[in-house]
Structure formats: C-alpha cells, structure tokens
Amino acid sequence: MGSDTIGIIPARYASSRFPGKPLAEIDGRPMVCRVFDRAAEALGRENVYVATDDRRIADVVESSGGTAVMTSGEIANGTARCAAALKQIDRRPEFIINIQGDEPMIAPEDIHRLADALRITTLARRFDPEEGIDTLMSPDNPKVVMDCRNNALYFSRAVLPHVSAAALKRHTHLPPFYLHTGTYAFRREVLDEI
C-alpha cells in the first residue's frame, strides 16, 4: 500500500452507549491499539492515524508507537472526525479509509480491498445464523440492504428486510441479512466534499 492511502481511526471517548470504549481492554491491550495494529498491518504504521477528542486515548496510542491527532469533542460523527484530522495531517493522500475504532478483528485484507476502491466504499458481511438471533436483533449491529451489484441502498439498526420476530425465532423463510461493519474508504475529494 503506497503513501496515497491512509487510515484514520476515529476514537471518541464519550460514547453514549459505552463511554471509554476505545480504552476497553481486550486480552490486556486497549481496543484502539488492537484496531491500530490491524490497520498498520494493512497500510503500514506510518499511514495510520487515530483521530480522538481525548488525551487519554492519544496517550495510549502514542505510547504504543502509533500516531494520534487531537480533534474537537464537538464533532458529531466519525466521518467528520476523519475530515478534521485530515486537515491536521501534513499529507494529501488520494484515499482515506475510516476504520471503526471498535473493530479490533478487522481483516487487513479487507482494508486492502477498500483502498482499491474508486468511490465511497464500505464493508458489510453476511449474517451467520450461528451468531444467534440476538446479534441480528441488536441495535448495536447496523444492518444494510444492497442491490444485486452490492451497492448499499440503505442502513438501519432495525432488522432489514423486516421479518416477524416469530419467523426469526423459527429460522424459517429467512432472507439473507447483512451486517454493516462501519469501515469506509473515501477518495480525498469526496471526503472534502462530505
């Protein structure tokens, strides 16, 4: 992966559902550092940045050899946080990949696929019934409906397409469901425009 692609990991401390989530430890290591490591495996450490509004997150990232960029706590979402961080980074990459800070198991090869994209691209994965219906029903797992060319049509925290709770529990006549992983790739000019 060349210097024309960077990864930015937005990592906000004050999440409404799980404050401090980027610092939550997974097997003795903060989640944000695990995400950084996976992204660095794909892009190289010098091409990955953590955009955060909290000095505690920045300190953890920097102490583990990563690069943190401080952004305002007033920023409403990860995409806007990536754009704010990009203005502070002394580079003009062609591609910016927004890597979700709560995806410590993201596959480096998926990041490579995004970097090859020519427009806004995002990842989704097919729901496996072995994960359990609670995973599908949870509003913490965004869903996506795609057309026949895998273009995203719409996203929701509700089950898409809608099926009855009884059908879900019986596992009968179920369409395929797709969960949105929340990882995006943008061309620089598209991110600037957004």
Side-chain angles (χ1 to χ4, degrees):
M1 210 55 56
S3 62
D4 62 338
T5 302
I6 66 168
I8 300 178
I9 303 166
R12 195 175 117 218
Y13 186 87
S15 166
S16 58
R17 290 189 301 261
F18 185 176
K21 180 166 47 172
L23 299 176
E25 290 201 2
I26 299 173
D27 199 22
R29 188 155 168 77
M31 184 182 328
V32 69
C33 293
R34 292 201 173 275
V35 176
F36 183 93
D37 292 344
R38 300 293 281 192
E41 188 178 331
L43 302 171
R45 294 183 83 72
E46 70 282 1
N47 296 317
V48 179
Y49 303 84
V50 173
T52 185
D53 61 345
D54 192 276
R55 189 74 242 167
R56 292 168 286 193
I57 295 170
D59 288 345
V60 163
V61 169
E62 291 167 353
S63 71
S64 68
T67 303
V69 178
M70 293 301 298
T71 56
S72 168
E74 302 300 311
I75 296 173
N77 60 56
T79 301
R81 193 168 306 285
C82 286
L86 184 61
K87 291 177 184 173
Q88 297 181 55
I89 296 169
D90 190 25
R91 296 173 65 177
R92 294 304 295 165
E94 184 174 3
F95 295 103
I96 298 91
I97 301 176
N98 172 347
I99 301 161
Q100 296 300 300
D102 60 357
E103 289 289 335
M105 298 306 293
I106 187 163
E109 55 273 13
D110 286 343
I111 296 172
H112 278 285
R113 283 191 292 160
L114 283 171
D116 292 335
L118 298 177
R119 58 183 191 263
I120 296 177
T121 303
T122 189
L123 294 174
R125 64 177 180 81
R126 188 171 182 159
F127 168 73
D128 181 349
E130 296 286 321
E131 296 176 72
I133 294 304
D134 289 342
T135 298
L136 181 63
M137 298 292 289
S138 173
D140 292 334
N141 297 316
K143 289 70 167 182
V144 60
V145 172
M146 297 176 286
D147 68 14
C148 62
R149 291 189 203 108
N150 291 326
N151 293 311
L153 298 174
Y154 48 94
F155 300 86
S156 176
R157 294 198 178 269
V159 177
L160 293 175
H162 175 75
V163 295
S164 72
L168 283 173
K169 290 179 180 160
R170 287 191 314 266
H171 297 275
T172 58
H173 306 294
L174 295 180
F177 297 103
Y178 291 88
L179 302 179
H180 181 234
T181 67
T183 302
Y184 298 88
F186 304 94
R187 290 183 76 91
R188 182 184 67 236
E189 61 272 15
V190 173
L191 182 57
D192 288 342
E193 186 177 319
I194 290 173

